[in-house]
Amino acid sequence: MSELRHLINITDLSVDEIDHLISIADDIIDNPEAYQEICRHKKLATLFFEPSTRTRLSFTAAMMELGGNVLGFDQAASSSTAKGESVSDTIVMASCYADIIAMRHPKEGAPFVAARHAGVPVINAGDGGHFHPTQTLTDLMTIHRKKGDLGNLTIGLCGDLKFGRTVHSLIEAMIRYKGIRFVMISPVELDLPSYVQEKLNAEGVEWKVVRNLEEAIPELDVLYMTRVQKERFFNEEDYIRLKDSFILRRRMLDSAKDDMIVMHPLPRVNEISVDVDDDPRAAYFYQALMGKYIRMALILFLLGIR
Amino acid sequence: MNIDGVSTGIVLDHIQAGCGWEIYNLLGLDKVDCTVAIIQRVQSAKYGRKDIIKIDGDVDIDLDILGYFDTKITVNMIKDRELVRKVHLKLPETLTGVLECRNPRCITSVEQEIVHQFWLADPENKKYRCVYCDSVYKEKK
């Protein structure tokens, strides 16, 4: 019997395995009918101990399109956790009913605990501010589909680079590819944490900091937007002074490359003006679609089907 | 002052002066069924002053805990009054059930049954990270 695999952090997957997942997802897009019954009689448990819209819908849609079934809960109040059940007990119980588990939990490390006790593969669907590997897979799939390659790209990361877990994971995943340059676009208050900066330097990755979004745009192949949250600032004056520097507006794309793509993990609030939505370079809703396909590929991979 | 030698047991030497009691408690030596002596503030050519613990009995001690506490401590294993092994400590790769994660967002903060575990992330700076939440362990001030 092959060893049980889980996905807790994006680094649990090798570059070859990520490439394999992307090729499965490509094939699903090209030949959806070949996959529509492939998980018949298989069940995915979505154990969401905190509310989520996109991630849960995406996992549910992914399993349904593979012909499988989905069971689970979408908040801790409707699970035994409300009665004081431990994560490990919940997961052992869920392993009896499902073939694979996608789990979101507000506490960091909960999916790691789950993986230690589960009898079936566990996918971390987000654990607090810690890891969210399927978002990173979604981002990689989107870049692959839109740019054709995961190497030789200049990637602008804009907004909250200090607390944004999606940004940290994307950096961790992308530095394994050749020819990647980063342009960090954030207020000083939300600069990349020093341990991530140290990692970039240790890996010899080229990167720089630009304090104004408009200034950075012309050289970018990918612009990854995140939200600058008011509560991250010590005072409102600083927030008001800085927030407009990190809002993407349609006119700012005039200086962008024709094939640049704009990404965002969603939900957006106001950091991308709605007039950008109609620009062909806006890729954030396409990104949500890619999230479904790459999760389909991941389910097949962890179940040992592909 | 005369302290008898160890016939079969362990001598912990080069303990930083004043830390003997802490090591005694850390290793749970109050629970062992043999003679234990803590000798404090002994003259040392290497460190000026040092503490020594002598355990006269066949007991197992956790070298990981000791290594985490202070790698300068030397562990002398004695059998029939002869030194049979001298252990030079190093920082353990993992620490299980020794340190407690203080990150309030960590799963260990709400589930008491989970055994706290850390891995050595940076040996130069003695930096340990929680295996669950990856936060760096910070000593209590």
Side-chain angles (χ1 to χ4, degrees):
Chain A
M1 202 175 129
S2 61
E3 195 191 336
L4 199 59
R5 288 287 300 267
H6 309 283
L7 178 62
I8 306 303
N9 183 6
I10 190 67
T11 51
D12 293 343
L13 294 169
S14 68
V15 171
D16 285 347
E17 285 171 334
I18 288 173
D19 290 347
H20 175 62
L21 290 179
I22 288 173
S23 72
I24 299 169
D26 278 339
D27 194 49
I28 293 170
I29 293 168
D30 293 340
N31 306 293
E33 65 289 343
Y35 292 87
Q36 58 197 14
E37 294 289 328
I38 202 166
C39 281
R40 204 164 170 224
H41 304 304
K42 298 278 185 195
K43 292 184 289 289
L44 165 74
T46 55
L47 310 184
F48 279 59
F49 293 80
E50 67 175 1
S52 148
T53 310
R54 275 156 308 282
T55 307
R56 196 170 61 84
L57 284 180
S58 179
F59 270 111
T60 303
M63 194 55 169
M64 288 168 81
E65 289 200 22
L66 293 168
N69 292 305
V70 182
L71 66 164
F73 51 84
D74 61 4
Q75 48 186 312
S78 56
S79 75
S80 299
T81 307
K83 298 174 191 163
E85 187 175 55
S86 67
V87 165
S88 53
D89 282 3
T90 305
I91 226 75
V92 171
M93 176 275 300
S95 299
C96 300
Y97 303 139
D99 301 285
I100 186 164
I101 293 167
M103 173 182 173
R104 170 167 287 195
H105 199 285
K107 289 293 179 186
E108 299 172 4
F112 180 75
V113 173
R116 282 185 163 181
H117 294 87
V120 300
V122 174
I123 302 169
N124 180 4
D127 57 337
H130 195 211
F131 297 140
H132 192 359
T134 60
Q135 178 63 52
T136 310
L137 285 176
T138 300
D139 298 342
L140 297 177
M141 178 68 186
T142 307
I143 296 171
H144 155 77
R145 294 287 295 186
K146 288 286 185 184
K147 306 304 293 182
D149 188 6
L150 288 171
N152 304 308
L153 296 168
T154 299
I155 301 171
L157 301 167
C158 178
D160 183 353
L161 309 187
K162 187 173 183 180
F163 300 98
R165 66 180 174 188
T166 55
V167 165
H168 304 163
S169 295
L170 184 61
I171 289 172
E172 197 153 22
M174 290 303 295
I175 58 175
R176 301 196 285 183
Y177 295 89
K178 279 184 186 155
I180 295 296
R181 286 180 69 234
F182 288 106
V183 181
M184 311 300 178
I185 312 151
S186 72
V188 179
E189 292 86 341
L190 299 177
D191 266 346
L192 211 56
S194 57
Y195 74 92
V196 184
Q197 294 186 23
E198 284 159 17
K199 188 157 202 171
L200 284 166
N201 294 336
E203 298 287 332
V205 178
E206 193 185 331
W207 67 283
K208 66 177 180 179
V209 176
V210 174
R211 296 291 177 207
N212 185 290
L213 174 58
E214 202 158 5
E215 202 181 298
I217 281 179
E219 64 176 309
L220 304 178
D221 298 305
V222 175
L223 171 58
Y224 197 96
M225 297 291 298
T226 61
R227 187 154 60 99
V228 172
Q229 291 169 279
K230 194 175 173 179
E231 55 269 31
R232 302 293 190 203
F233 288 84
F234 289 115
N235 63 67
E236 199 166 341
E237 265 175 39
D238 283 350
Y239 171 73
I240 291 166
R241 178 173 55 82
L242 291 163
K243 71 180 171 68
D244 285 349
S245 307
F246 305 97
I247 292 178
L248 182 66
R249 301 181 197 285
R250 173 66 191 80
R251 62 166 179 77
M252 293 160 79
L253 291 174
D254 291 346
S255 63
K257 292 178 184 173
D258 290 341
D259 63 347
M260 184 191 83
I261 57 168
V262 181
M263 296 173 64
H264 191 299
L266 301 178
R268 82 170 145 184
V269 178
N270 63 347
E271 58 278 15
I272 302 177
S273 170
V274 288
D275 61 6
V276 176
D277 295 1
D278 296 330
D279 191 286
R281 288 165 287 196
Y284 29 93
F285 292 117
Y286 179 80
Q287 200 177 341
L289 177 64
M290 291 303 103
K292 180 185 70 179
Y293 292 123
I294 200 71
R295 287 182 177 99
M296 289 169 79
L298 178 66
I299 290 168
L300 293 176
F301 175 69
L302 293 178
L303 286 175
I305 297 172
R306 282 284 190 279
Chain B
M1 189 170 71
N2 186 27
I3 306 268
D4 282 346
V6 170
S7 53
T8 292
I10 298 166
V11 176
L12 304 177
D13 199 0
H14 301 117
I15 298 170
Q16 193 185 328
C19 294
W21 269 112
E22 208 172 338
I23 297 283
Y24 177 88
N25 290 319
L26 211 58
L27 295 176
L29 295 177
D30 53 330
K31 296 176 192 77
V32 297
D33 187 23
C34 62
T35 307
V36 180
I38 304 174
I39 311 160
Q40 293 182 298
R41 304 189 59 76
V42 180
Q43 284 282 3
S44 162
K46 230 176 182 178
Y47 302 114
R49 295 272 180 188
K50 65 178 179 181
D51 287 0
I52 298 171
I53 297 178
K54 293 187 175 187
I55 307 161
D56 196 9
D58 191 11
V59 294
D60 279 331
I61 59 166
D62 190 331
L63 296 179
D64 283 350
I65 294 181
L66 218 47
Y68 174 76
F69 190 86
D70 187 355
T71 53
K72 291 194 192 79
I73 297 170
T74 45
V75 182
N76 301 299
M77 306 288 193
I78 313 289
K79 197 172 181 194
D80 300 329
R81 298 189 179 276
E82 296 286 328
L83 175 67
V84 289
R85 193 157 74 100
K86 196 185 252 299
V87 181
H88 293 282
L89 298 170
K90 56 181 183 177
L91 285 174
E93 290 298 317
T94 56
L95 276 170
T96 303
V98 180
L99 309 176
E100 283 203 0
C101 183
R102 300 211 179 88
N103 173 10
R105 298 177 306 278
C106 181
I107 185 68
T108 56
S109 70
V110 287
E111 296 212 359
Q112 312 304 321
E113 301 298 316
I114 297 172
V115 179
H116 291 243
Q117 204 174 2
F118 284 78
W119 60 281
L120 181 59
D122 178 359
E124 260 176 49
N125 298 302
K126 199 182 170 184
K127 201 182 267 184
Y128 281 84
R129 284 187 183 274
C130 172
V131 298
Y132 305 101
C133 70
D134 285 295
S135 63
V136 173
Y137 178 76
K138 290 188 181 84
E139 304 265 357
K140 263 184 194 164
K141 282 180 185 168

